[in-house]
Amino acid sequence: MAVATIDKKLPKDFLWGFATAAFQIEGSMAADGRGPSIWDGFAKLPGKTQDGKGGEVATDSYNRWREDVDLLASYGVKSYRFSISWSRIIPLGGRDDPINPAGIAWYSRFIDELLSRGITPFVTLYHWDLPQSLQDRYGGWLNKDEIVQDYTRYAKVCFEAFGDRVKHWLTMNEPWCVAILGYGRGVFAPGRSSDRERSPEGDSSTEPWIVGHSVILAHAHAVKLYREEFKPTQKGLVGITLNGDWAMPYDDSPENMDAAQHALDFAIGWYADPIYLGHYPPYMREVLGARMPDFTPEEWALVKGSSDFYGMNTYTTNLCRAGGDDEFQGNVDYTFTRPDGTQLGTQAHCAWLQDYPDGFRSLLNYLYKRYKLPIYVTENGFAVKGENDMPIEQAIIDTDRVNYFTGTTTALLGAIHEDGVDVRSYFPWSFLDNFEWADGYLTRFGVTYVDYETQKRYPKASAKFLLKVRVFVPNFTILGFSVSFPLYM
Ligand code: GBH
């Protein structure tokens, strides 16, 4: 590990804090006039979540918001990334549907509370919880013309209501997941897929690409609106955040070197190339042909340059081998097992996640070189294997997560100070253990342990690691346990 970088701190105006999303923490699905979202019903269908549980209670943050802000403040964060629930603001979702003043009032008060504690709100407009009524009326993201207008109106209502205080906006969280997991694999709401055991309808060969297309356009229209009508007075930044993990060739054979780039094209380039460079990755067109919807020249003009920064969510690194028939990964095979049989890193609770900090640094370099914009890291995190089965006092000594964050923050400092990458924020996922989508509550990503019986919050050892990176606190105590970070001593 690059120990030499640890005497350098994060830049002074660097935004760091923790991230969450509305559906994963709020609960109170019927409170104050909220309308249903596509995740409300989907999570309750048999077999959709591992524990059969949905978002009814989650971490009860709709009620416990004061306590949550107190806890955030105690962690010393500068910023907090959260999302707004569309169906709390416009319960039926559509451009002619009524606005819900109670929903606006809730977020408004929450934002005021953050600001009064010196915490900068970093707001996601769409983190997967589409109003159910838009799905029912016209198929949600499948219907480009309708959804673009409805989403843009929702964004407008938010800019109007909160933009005097919110200066960092994310239009969308991880459109790859919206399209591929929602309409390809069918594991996320609305759960459409060609797999008839999973879904009564859907076409995984066409729908994900249509959905991705709609998401890009909706994003671009909202950004245009912000820049024209709000930015001149509100002076904020607006962008999109994309998921994407580093792709490393399995070995140095030419086909596996190509495979790594193909993986990046399908995971990241699908969205980032249009938005930052103004074209689709040629390899995607080659694989998808006419299934890839194109933009008109007017649309291309709107899409290109439609993000003020690169929003980066990243968790792991995949070793990439040519071949396989997983089109959603660009027909690239992923593994964590090196040719010599060793593992890339520490295995997380989720099969898709291993700890590999060098990959985080490589990805930062790749994105900065290719897209040439400041990078905001808006998610990064780790779920400790078996954490949910441990007694609380053991779970909160989350050594694998501390190691993970030690690695990524060291890589972050290296990228900033040694490689010259312009990184402006770092938001570990997540502030709290929460509703982990198809995993239900069995997978815990939080730096705060949530006891779902009592809703009591317990800071884990990882909770204050960033404060340490910033000011080098030698060690600290949580619930009577002394926690130390050897790397920084
Ligand atoms: C983030 O996605 C989400 O933004 C956040 O809401 C979530 O809680 C957090 O991660 C932790 O999971 O094996 O084909 O199903 C992370 C990006 C991309 C990671 C898809 C899991 C699984 C691919 N995710 N990936 S697949």
Side-chain angles (χ1 to χ4, degrees):
M1 200 154 285
V3 177
T5 60
I6 62 165
D7 59 337
K8 299 267 178 63
K9 296 181 186 179
L10 295 168
K12 222 175 156 18
D13 52 357
F14 192 87
L15 288 179
W16 69 272
F18 298 105
T20 59
F23 191 81
Q24 294 179 271
I25 64 164
E26 286 180 355
S28 299
M29 287 173 13
D32 296 339
R34 176 187 179 275
S37 86
I38 55 171
W39 266 96
D40 296 20
F42 179 77
K44 299 310 288 177
L45 296 172
K48 300 300 183 192
T49 63
Q50 274 182 36
D51 54 4
K53 297 202 173 121
E56 282 72 10
V57 183
T59 63
D60 195 28
S61 289
Y62 191 78
N63 297 315
R64 292 169 196 263
W65 58 277
R66 273 185 202 281
E67 183 192 332
D68 284 351
V69 176
D70 284 346
L71 187 58
L72 273 171
S74 82
Y75 290 166
V77 302
K78 282 178 75 169
S79 185
Y80 176 52
R81 176 182 172 227
F82 63 97
S83 82
I84 293 176
S85 155
W86 185 341
S87 62
R88 286 195 196 279
I89 303 296
I90 306 167
L92 295 174
R95 55 196 175 277
D96 299 318
D97 294 323
I99 293 170
N100 177 26
I104 292 187
W106 190 95
Y107 289 106
S108 195
R109 194 178 50 177
F110 184 69
I111 289 164
D112 285 343
E113 183 71 13
L114 288 174
L115 287 168
S116 79
R117 310 295 286 268
I119 301 172
T120 301
F122 206 112
V123 178
T124 314
L125 288 172
Y126 186 72
H127 201 123
W128 308 350
D129 44 357
L130 188 78
Q132 180 65 46
S133 136
L134 304 185
Q135 194 72 37
D136 296 343
R137 275 189 243 169
Y138 55 72
W141 294 106
L142 284 173
N143 192 324
K144 176 182 95 174
D145 296 330
E146 296 284 345
I147 196 88
V148 164
Q149 295 183 62
D150 287 344
Y151 175 81
T152 307
R153 191 275 190 128
Y154 160 60
K156 182 175 185 176
V157 171
C158 291
F159 298 148
E160 265 163 8
F162 313 121
D164 55 336
R165 289 154 292 159
V166 173
K167 305 301 171 187
H168 297 84
W169 293 102
L170 293 168
T171 53
M172 307 279 176
N173 181 71
E174 303 188 346
W176 184 95
C177 294
V178 175
I180 300 296
L181 303 180
Y183 291 79
R185 300 207 202 289
V187 295
F188 281 9
R192 292 175 66 89
S193 165
S194 291
D195 179 351
R196 288 289 162 263
E197 279 172 27
R198 229 174 232 299
S199 170
E201 50 188 26
D203 179 352
S204 305
S205 72
T206 55
E207 291 186 2
W209 318 112
I210 295 168
V211 166
H213 192 75
S214 304
V215 174
I216 293 173
L217 278 174
H219 147 81
H221 277 277
V223 170
K224 178 181 187 304
L225 173 81
Y226 184 77
R227 287 176 177 168
E228 288 177 359
E229 288 186 28
F230 297 95
K231 189 164 175 134
T233 50
Q234 297 184 350
K235 304 196 187 322
L237 295 174
V238 62
I240 191 166
T241 196
L242 307 178
N243 57 299
D245 296 321
W246 182 234
M248 235 162 61
Y250 178 72
D251 54 26
D252 57 12
S253 70
E255 64 272 21
N256 291 339
M257 309 274 275
D258 285 349
Q261 183 58 50
H262 293 161
L264 292 169
D265 288 347
F266 267 73
I268 295 175
W270 176 12
Y271 298 96
D273 283 12
I275 289 170
Y276 301 107
L277 308 178
H279 58 76
Y280 274 115
Y283 177 69
M284 284 196 85
R285 289 205 185 278
E286 194 183 308
V287 173
L288 299 173
R291 287 183 290 140
M292 191 70 176
D294 207 348
F295 297 111
T296 64
E298 295 74 35
E299 288 171 340
W300 273 118
L302 190 74
V303 168
K304 186 180 179 185
S306 61
S307 187
D308 292 336
F309 51 82
Y310 188 95
M312 166 174 159
N313 287 359
T314 195
Y315 286 81
T316 195
T317 293
N318 293 299
L319 292 169
C320 297
R321 252 183 316 209
D325 54 6
D326 191 337
E327 196 169 74
F328 306 139
Q329 295 173 188
N331 295 327
V332 172
D333 207 31
Y334 290 174
T335 179
F336 290 129
T337 307
R338 294 192 184 88
D340 67 5
T342 59
Q343 292 297 292
L344 195 61
T346 305
Q347 179 62 50
H349 193 73
C350 329
W352 55 269
L353 175 51
Q354 286 197 356
D355 177 7
Y356 188 68
D358 287 352
F360 179 80
R361 184 162 171 176
S362 300
L363 183 63
L364 283 168
N365 276 276
Y366 169 85
L367 294 173
Y368 191 54
K369 216 168 143 186
R370 188 174 174 99
Y371 302 117
K372 301 183 171 62
L373 281 178
I375 296 174
Y376 284 74
V377 179
T378 45
E379 272 183 42
N380 177 243
F382 193 80
V384 177
K385 206 175 165 89
E387 193 177 292
N388 190 55
D389 301 321
M390 298 173 190
I392 297 175
E393 57 280 13
Q394 188 187 345
I396 60 171
I397 306 301
D398 54 341
T399 309
D400 284 355
R401 187 176 289 103
V402 169
N403 290 341
Y404 180 92
F405 286 135
T406 302
T408 40
T409 51
T410 303
L412 178 75
L413 290 168
I416 293 172
H417 295 296
E418 293 176 359
D419 309 338
V421 180
D422 185 358
V423 189
R424 306 277 177 97
S425 78
Y426 184 66
F427 290 94
W429 184 272
S430 178
F431 170 45
L432 303 167
D433 290 336
N434 57 46
F435 176 72
E436 179 50 26
W437 309 112
D439 290 9
Y441 296 91
L442 303 181
T443 297
R444 295 174 177 269
F445 269 92
V447 297
T448 309
Y449 188 95
V450 176
D451 178 342
Y452 293 113
E453 302 282 308
T454 62
Q455 288 296 342
K456 199 165 150 42
R457 278 91 160 115
Y458 299 87
K460 301 181 193 175
S462 57
K464 289 198 174 177
F465 77 96
L466 255 177
L467 189 62
K468 198 169 171 58
V469 172
R470 200 176 56 140
V471 299
F472 298 107
V473 180
N475 57 43
F476 60 92
T477 304
I478 292 174
L479 301 176
F481 293 89
S482 172
V483 180
S484 63
F485 295 73
L487 185 69
Y488 295 103
M489 296 291 274

